[in-house]
Amino acid sequence: MPKPTILMLSGPNLNLLGEREAHIYGSTKLADIEQSTRNHAEKLGFALEAKQSNIEGELVTWVQEARKSAAGVIVNAGAYTHTSIALHDAFKALGKPFIEVHLSNLYAREDFRHHSYLAPLASGVIIGLGALGYELAVDALAKLMKKAA
């Protein structure tokens, strides 16, 4: 029997992690975060599929596909967190638990980052803990999925 899959979605500019604004986002590259999160998920009996896009519509499509292919979702929608009603609507139709993750503490930054279109729909939100937030999101999803089963 195949392992349940957690989909990890990363939005715009996260492909530049480790290259931009290390004082805010840290020096860890996205590929390293994906690998450590995958390793953690596998220890808990899950497969992890990681995808990144700078294109809003592509992220929406992946959320829609996750309705059938994933047991849960971890999302860092980057700037789309604060702007995308389309992602809000896609997550509203997901029907699976999802955790919103942000590397930096959004509340210690510009006011426009204090609002999330996804947070009201999310099972939980993890902010400001850097790459550790992704592993904590896996832990949370594992417990939520176990509780639902």
Side-chain angles (χ1 to χ4, degrees):
M1 186 166 169
K3 294 178 182 178
T5 299
I6 294 173
L7 177 62
M8 178 178 149
L9 294 179
S10 299
N13 298 310
L14 290 168
N15 56 307
L16 298 178
L17 287 176
E19 300 174 26
R20 67 181 272 259
E21 297 178 287
H23 65 287
I24 295 173
Y25 301 111
S27 58
T28 307
K29 293 187 176 295
L30 180 59
D32 296 327
I33 293 171
E34 290 171 350
Q35 189 58 54
S36 66
T37 307
R38 183 175 291 109
N39 293 345
H40 189 67
E42 287 175 1
K43 287 179 194 172
L44 297 177
F46 295 91
L48 184 110
E49 180 181 4
K51 297 181 176 191
Q52 186 278 328
S53 181
N54 295 320
I55 302 167
E56 182 180 22
E58 195 163 38
L59 292 164
V60 168
T61 297
W62 292 336
V63 173
Q64 291 176 357
E65 290 170 351
R67 295 174 69 208
K68 294 183 180 173
S69 65
V73 177
I74 297 169
V75 60
N76 182 341
Y80 292 141
T81 300
H82 321 292
T83 64
S84 182
I85 295 168
L87 272 176
H88 167 94
D89 290 349
F91 274 105
K92 193 171 186 177
L94 178 63
K96 308 280 175 80
F98 79 94
I99 306 292
E100 180 181 340
V101 175
H102 296 283
L103 295 161
S104 67
N105 180 351
L106 302 179
Y107 297 102
R109 300 185 61 199
E110 304 93 339
D111 287 347
F112 69 84
R113 295 185 196 275
H114 298 181
H115 178 265
S116 167
Y117 279 98
L118 306 181
L121 305 172
S123 301
V125 179
I126 300 170
I127 65 167
L129 298 178
L132 173 62
Y134 290 90
E135 291 184 21
L136 295 173
V138 169
D139 291 340
L141 280 177
K143 288 183 181 185
L144 289 169
M145 290 184 279
K146 183 177 179 182
K147 186 177 177 180

